[in-house]
């Protein structure tokens, strides 16, 4: 398949999923307005199928061990950006501090303004899934999700929830915001799972 737009010559085509083009820009995409976030009142909560609900303040959250990951990101609107780096708390680190109950299979990630996205637990816990506070070594910009965003680079970027505030563990899958509005429940860019039925 021909790429949607011409890719730069120095890009290895093997790194570009079908239908995507490579950009060095960093487009901003979201529904609604960029939220006003007050770090003093910010919290991160985990509920649903857990033995005990958990809550972190911002200081507590960012005090957890940090990791840096390097990844290519792929937006369903067809841009891909290669070699991005993100610093933050690995999803696994958060997971190790909660007690999931038997039967939990998915997470619904939630954010400011009620935005949500669903993920199977295995994808949520993938090696490079991270709650990021830095992009390319600098604090996240507000429009890219400051103070904290999820990054799950192996799925389309709509799963990488900006302004994240918590998780609900679920027995079974449940659509999030975009998934209720026509986007694929899983969203693998290599299988071009953009929309319902793909
Ligand atoms: N909270 C929230 N997170 C979100 C979205 C949103 O509307 N709200 N949009 C998603 C979509 S569709 C994309 S493509 C990416 C865009 O991230 P960026 O603006 O940093 O490029 O954020 C994702 N995370
Ligand atoms: Mo998107």
């Amino acid at each position: 398949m021909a790429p949607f737009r011409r890719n730069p010559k120095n890009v290895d085509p093997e790194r570009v999923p079908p239908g995507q083009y490579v950009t060095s820009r960093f487009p901003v995409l979201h529904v609604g307005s960029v939220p006003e976030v007050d770090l003093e009142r910010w919290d991160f909560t985990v509920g649903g199928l857990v033995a005990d609900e958990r809550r972190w303040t911002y200081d507590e959250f960012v005090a957890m061990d940090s990791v840096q990951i390097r990844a290519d990101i792929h937006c369903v609107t067809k841009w891909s950006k290669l070699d991005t780096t993100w610093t933050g708390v690995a999803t696994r680190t958060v997971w190790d501090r909660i007690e999931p109950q038997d039967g939990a299979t998915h997470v619904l990630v939630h954010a400011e303004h009620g935005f949500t996205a669903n993920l199977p637990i295995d994808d949520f816990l993938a090696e490079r899934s991270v709650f990021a506070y830095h992009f390319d070594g600098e604090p996240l910009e507000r429009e890219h999700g400051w103070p904290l965003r999820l990054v799950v680079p192996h799925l389309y970027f709509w799963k990488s929830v900006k302004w994240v505030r918590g998780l609900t563990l679920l027995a079974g899958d449940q659509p999030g915001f975009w998934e209720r509005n026509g986007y694929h429940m899983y969203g693998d860019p290599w299988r071009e799972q953009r929309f319902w039925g793909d």
Side-chain angles (χ1 to χ4, degrees), residues 38-142:
D38 176 355
L39 285 189
E40 296 300 314
R41 301 173 58 156
W42 187 96
D43 62 3
F44 186 99
T45 56
V46 177
L49 284 178
V50 281
D52 286 301
E53 295 196 353
R54 282 273 344 229
R55 176 178 178 273
W56 286 264
T57 65
Y58 193 72
D59 288 345
E60 288 166 347
F61 198 93
V62 300
M64 286 189 270
D65 285 348
S66 73
V67 291
Q68 191 175 80
I69 61 130
R70 186 183 180 88
D72 302 340
I73 56 180
H74 310 292
C75 175
V76 73
T77 63
K78 301 200 166 177
W79 56 269
S80 291
K81 187 171 174 59
L82 307 185
D83 294 321
T84 61
T85 60
W86 304 87
T87 312
V89 180
T91 51
R92 171 64 67 180
T93 301
V94 176
W95 196 258
D96 287 345
R97 286 164 173 73
I98 63 176
E99 281 181 70
Q101 290 181 341
D102 289 348
T105 59
H106 289 73
V107 294
L108 193 65
V109 182
H110 25 114
E112 306 284 347
H113 296 336
F115 183 86
T116 52
N118 55 308
L119 293 161
I121 287 170
D122 286 348
D123 295 89
F124 173 71
L125 293 180
E127 209 184 323
R128 289 182 302 166
S129 296
V130 55
F131 289 107
Y133 41 76
H134 283 182
F135 167 73
D136 281 356
E138 300 289 335
L140 272 184
E141 289 175 41
R142 285 184 65 221

Side-chain angles (χ1 to χ4, degrees), residues 146-162:
W146 180 89
L148 190 73
R149 81 175 295 165
L150 178 62
V151 177
V152 179
H154 71 286
L155 299 177
Y156 280 125
F157 208 40
W158 86 77
K159 300 285 186 181
S160 292
V161 174
K162 304 196 278 192

